[in-house]
Amino acid sequence: MIAFVTSSGSRVHDTDLPLLAAAAADRGTGGEVVVWDDPTVDWASYDAVVVRSCWDYLARRDEFLAWAASVPRLHNTADVLTWNTDKVYLRQLEAAGVPIIETRWDVATGDDLGDHAEWVVKPTISAGSKDTARWGTREEVWEHSASLVAAGRASMTQPYIASVDDEGETAMLHFNGTFSHAIRKGPLLERGEGVRQDRDSRESITPRSPSEAQHEVSQRAIAAACEALSLDEPPLYARVDLVTATDGSPLLIELELAEPSLFLPQSGGGADRLVDAILARV
């Protein structure tokens, strides 16, 4: 029996879950959707517990990670979740040679932001673009970053990558370290709209065929994470989010190993591939 773990407010919004349950049933394996903070769940009764849409963890991260540490046969593991739910992990990937977007941490008024037309500011612990904004002036950037830091939250500031407005982002999905599928995500941030509070309200999702360069960067990112975490095998699931730099090369936005949408409705069999990956580990 496989547990696909969500949160009480997210299960109706997660379009991946019905496909995963159906794929498990097709293979003669039970697939049950369960809520992570439900005290009645017997986690030890499952052959695998797969974290999916626990999207309420942001306000309860310590509680969520303590839960993860208590669950046997959890995918991805508690150590992976701890590392990946704070975007400071990007420093380790950059040090390992993975090309990331130029990033400044906890900028304050007067700090150098580089010569860019626009910037993105967000907390290092966030999901679904919550509390993220695209700004066109240094004053807006400094004010947003300062407000996050004053609230006890680390901030990160990056130049806005102009190619996103037309090309969008590329999300590449890997199961057990093997590429499954990729999608295009349309732009989420509009200049001057202020800080976003909703999750994925404007996402436009379509299938995409990645380039050889994108494949190479995505594999480097996953390998660097495995090295940083001393993993003996790749994470069960990984989503590599990329954008295109002005010179045409891929840049990593995020390596999602905690609770990313997997875009299975646009995947052409992705749910089957993920369930097969789970069963290979069981």
Side-chain angles (χ1 to χ4, degrees):
M1 174 73 75
I2 303 170
F4 297 110
V5 190
T6 185
S7 60
S8 57
S10 303
R11 61 187 305 163
V12 298
H13 302 292
D14 184 353
T15 57
D16 293 337
L17 291 175
L19 298 178
L20 288 170
D26 287 345
R27 283 151 180 76
T29 300
E32 185 173 343
V33 177
V34 289
V35 174
W36 73 270
D37 58 353
D38 181 347
T40 68
V41 176
D42 179 10
W43 298 106
S45 68
Y46 295 100
D47 299 303
V49 179
V50 182
V51 175
R52 291 308 318 117
S53 43
C54 302
W55 295 331
D56 63 352
Y57 83 90
L58 283 175
R60 307 160 60 191
R61 181 170 178 259
D62 289 345
E63 180 184 351
F64 174 67
L65 294 177
W67 164 82
S70 73
V71 176
R73 297 177 290 280
L74 184 72
H75 305 279
N76 288 328
T77 66
D79 287 345
V80 172
L81 299 179
T82 300
W83 181 81
N84 192 241
T85 50
D86 190 333
K87 295 178 180 61
V88 294
Y89 71 78
L90 288 169
R91 292 174 170 174
Q92 289 179 273
L93 299 189
E94 182 180 30
V98 178
I100 73 167
I101 301 174
E102 171 193 330
T103 305
R104 290 170 168 80
W105 310 89
D106 291 341
V107 301
T109 300
D111 283 354
D112 177 30
L113 300 178
D115 186 17
H116 305 290
E118 297 179 89
W119 297 266
V120 173
V121 181
K122 55 188 168 185
T124 65
I125 299 176
S126 68
S129 299
K130 182 176 173 60
D131 298 322
T132 298
R134 169 183 174 180
W135 300 116
T137 71
R138 286 169 169 77
E139 289 75 18
E140 290 168 323
V141 171
W142 291 327
E143 181 180 358
H144 187 177
S145 178
S147 69
L148 292 171
V149 173
R153 306 170 73 186
S155 79
M156 53 192 295
T157 298
Q158 300 172 319
Y160 185 76
I161 305 301
S163 64
V164 173
D165 286 336
D166 295 320
E167 183 181 324
E169 302 175 16
T170 299
M172 300 181 63
L173 285 304
H174 295 75
F175 303 144
N176 268 355
T178 300
F179 174 71
S180 169
H181 60 281
I183 59 93
R184 174 194 182 273
K185 292 196 294 180
L188 287 175
L189 300 175
E190 294 183 0
R191 183 172 183 173
E193 72 170 327
V195 179
R196 294 196 74 220
Q197 298 296 333
D198 55 342
R199 182 185 175 94
D200 302 340
S201 62
R202 285 199 299 266
E203 278 197 327
S204 172
I205 308 300
T206 53
R208 168 168 279 176
S209 297
S211 68
E212 183 176 337
Q214 289 172 324
H215 276 291
E216 194 271 335
V217 169
S218 68
Q219 291 290 350
R220 285 169 60 188
I222 294 171
C226 291
E227 179 70 21
L229 289 160
S230 300
L231 299 181
D232 295 328
E233 59 183 355
L236 173 65
Y237 54 87
R239 195 182 91 195
V240 186
D241 292 345
L242 304 171
V243 293
T244 302
T246 54
D247 66 358
S249 63
L251 294 172
L252 180 73
I253 303 177
E254 294 184 38
L255 173 61
E256 298 266 20
L257 305 177
E259 37 60 63
S261 295
L262 302 178
F263 307 114
L264 299 181
Q266 295 85 15
S267 68
D272 295 327
R273 291 188 288 273
L274 178 53
V275 171
D276 286 342
I278 296 168
L279 294 178
R281 296 199 173 193
V282 171

